[in-house]
Amino acid sequence: KYLRINEVQIVDIGGKDQFPVAFESFSKVSDFNLINRLGFIRDAEKKQAQAAFSSICSILQKHQFPVPGNPNEIEKTDAICIGIFIMPDNVTEGMLENLCLKSIKDKPIYGCINEYIKCIKKFQSDNEKEMFNEPKAFVQTYLSAQSPIANSLGVGAKKGHWDFNNKCFDDIKKFLKELFQ
């Protein structure tokens, strides 16, 4: 489905490794030249946010798009506004799950989940420890304890399990507001 004027489209490209090819294809879609705002939101994962930011910038440069100077900044030209936000905070390693977990750190259940995760890690093999994604496990444990239960971060958001009024979401809210002003 293609966009009409003043619409927003979110494109899930399936992960960082698919981004170069996905962007290449996406940028060749008819009427792509009508797009006047592009926002990229990506996880830093196991590296500092600057590495993910640089990766996106190099692809934008390859396709001759303007590039923001830093994560969480919007580069505005007469033709287009482009912004890049790197989860969880534009600085550290991590992902969307880390950001959402910040919103529940003050809840008593957080300590319970932390103890549970510590216990699980005691019994993991070295291979399991290497493959273990603690933030995702933390999120799944938290969501399994909610009522109504949610089986994913997004479903948990729809069911109101994350406190989007928490100040930890201020940067992403500001980024999106600036991108769409």
Side-chain angles (χ1 to χ4, degrees), residues 29-41:
V29 169
S30 65
D31 294 336
F32 183 81
N33 62 319
L34 299 177
I35 293 174
N36 58 14
R37 299 179 190 293
L38 281 173
F40 301 92
I41 300 174

Side-chain angles (χ1 to χ4, degrees), residues 49-86:
Q50 190 62 38
F53 175 74
S54 295
S55 174
I56 294 172
C57 288
S58 67
I59 293 165
L60 290 172
Q61 288 168 335
K62 176 183 174 187
H63 294 280
Q64 300 176 346
F65 281 92
V67 175
N70 292 296
N72 202 27
E73 289 181 5
I74 309 298
E75 180 68 23
K76 297 178 181 183
T77 68
D78 291 338
I80 195 163
C81 296
I82 296 181
I84 302 170
F85 191 96
I86 307 297

